Amino acid sequence: MRVLFAIALTSYLCFNSLRKRSLSKSGAAAAAFVGLSTASNDNLMFTAVLIAFFVSSTFWTKYQAKTKQKIDPTYTKVSERDRKQVLCNGGVGSLISLMYQYNFNGCKPEDLTADQRRLMVLLTWAYIGFYSCCAADTWASELGTLSSNWPILITTLKPVPPGTNGAISKLGILSSFAGGAVVGLAADIALWVQYFAAYRSGAMPKIPYNMLGLLLGTLGSLIDSVLGATVQASYLVNRQAVSDLSAEELRNMDGVQVIAGKNILSNNLVNFFSSAATTV
């Protein structure tokens, strides 16, 4: 029954995202792996967190798209997520879900040893930390770009054009708080609904995952900003901040200036390393 649920849910989300052009074909294939490896988990928290991240991030990515395109000319290229973006924002979470299933699928918390419960909580923390970081970073990027004031670079605290990697703003930071908290709240609701008896008996620790999501999400978003400001190059092209330009694109452009960072990591890899660091 769980497998059929996983297939049905994943199919709906993937085909719906293709129709709305939130995912490319390769992105939908990668999303199918993420969805199946997550929704097949007996613990509903894994699916609830993934849905909270996916739905909210998709909404904010499309929110005021025309305004974002004026601010960042590369926006149309990245609004349709490909397999690299999907795996960088879901691959680690899928591995954690598979590890959880291998150890605990079909198990009740009341029947586990103390060591097994600690591992269960550890994997739960890691999963929530991972998606809290992903959500906080996405919310901060998508909403922070719309701030009325120029953001400041996290490493120098000097104003930089909107869309610059490593730039932070009040709206972006508040958005990262909210993104992480929403993921944690989704985890709280799912865990209490499914394991209410285990919480009442003390078999599961009463952890406020909404606060954990807020803290870990914000931490991960700040790590992402530091990496973006140092090992990911941002360029000024026609008075607009642009990133992830290939060597050929740079050669064909005149008057390109480096705003911050070095061209070492792509945006996908920055997202991967920041979320992985938060997970650990």
Side-chain angles (χ1 to χ4, degrees):
M1 188 66 181
R2 173 63 63 179
V3 175
L4 292 177
F5 168 76
I7 293 174
L9 178 63
T10 302
S11 299
Y12 170 76
L13 292 176
C14 288
F15 283 114
N16 191 51
S17 297
L18 278 172
R19 182 176 60 84
K20 293 183 177 180
R21 299 186 65 184
S22 298
L23 292 174
S24 66
K25 291 182 179 179
S26 67
F33 162 73
V34 174
L36 289 173
S37 61
T38 303
S40 57
N41 200 310
D42 280 350
N43 189 330
L44 295 178
M45 180 275 298
F46 286 84
T47 303
V49 164
L50 176 61
I51 291 176
F53 163 70
F54 180 80
V55 172
S56 66
S57 297
T58 299
F59 175 80
W60 292 124
T61 298
K62 296 295 183 181
Y63 181 71
Q64 293 195 16
K66 292 183 179 179
T67 302
K68 293 173 184 175
Q69 187 178 354
K70 293 178 181 178
I71 296 171
D72 184 357
T74 65
Y75 176 76
T76 53
K77 185 176 77 171
V78 301
S79 61
E80 191 177 82
R81 299 178 183 274
D82 58 23
R83 68 179 185 280
K84 292 181 181 179
Q85 290 172 301
V86 171
L87 292 177
C88 285
N89 286 283
V92 173
S94 295
L95 293 178
I96 296 173
S97 177
L98 291 173
M99 289 175 60
Y100 188 99
Q101 292 182 62
Y102 177 79
N103 286 280
F104 302 115
N105 251 20
C107 299
K108 295 182 178 180
E110 299 93 326
D111 300 330
L112 301 177
T113 65
D115 288 339
Q116 289 175 321
R117 290 177 188 171
R118 279 192 288 269
L119 178 58
M120 175 183 278
V121 171
L122 180 64
L123 291 174
T124 301
W125 274 55
Y127 187 80
I128 294 172
F130 175 78
Y131 274 112
S132 293
C133 174
C134 293
D137 178 58
T138 301
W139 285 43
S141 298
E142 298 298 338
L143 293 175
T145 302
L146 301 173
S147 178
S148 57
N149 299 318
W150 274 28
I152 59 174
L153 194 65
I154 193 170
T155 52
T156 64
L157 302 183
K158 294 181 179 180
V160 290
T164 301
N165 295 305
I168 58 175
S169 65
K170 291 181 180 179
L171 179 58
I173 292 175
L174 290 175
S175 298
S176 68
F177 288 165
V182 164
V183 166
L185 180 61
D188 269 331
I189 294 173
L191 287 170
W192 274 94
V193 168
Q194 185 173 6
Y195 297 113
F196 182 76
Y199 278 118
R200 288 291 301 272
S201 66
M204 291 183 67
K206 298 177 182 178
I207 300 172
Y209 286 113
N210 58 329
M211 292 302 299
L212 179 69
L214 186 153
L215 294 174
L216 291 180
T218 304
L219 173 63
S221 182
L222 292 176
I223 293 174
D224 185 278
S225 295
V226 171
L227 291 176
T230 54
V231 294
Q232 183 183 6
S234 294
Y235 306 97
L236 189 64
V237 180
N238 297 326
R239 298 183 180 181
Q240 294 175 316
V242 180
S243 61
D244 282 353
L245 294 178
S246 65
E248 182 178 354
E249 288 174 319
L250 288 172
R251 285 194 299 267
N252 294 331
M253 290 182 177
D254 296 324
V256 178
Q257 299 178 6
V258 177
I259 302 174
K262 295 183 178 180
N263 193 16
I264 299 175
L265 298 180
S266 67
N267 187 63
N268 289 332
L269 288 177
V270 167
N271 290 339
F272 172 78
F273 283 119
S274 60
S275 57
T278 306
T279 301
V280 174

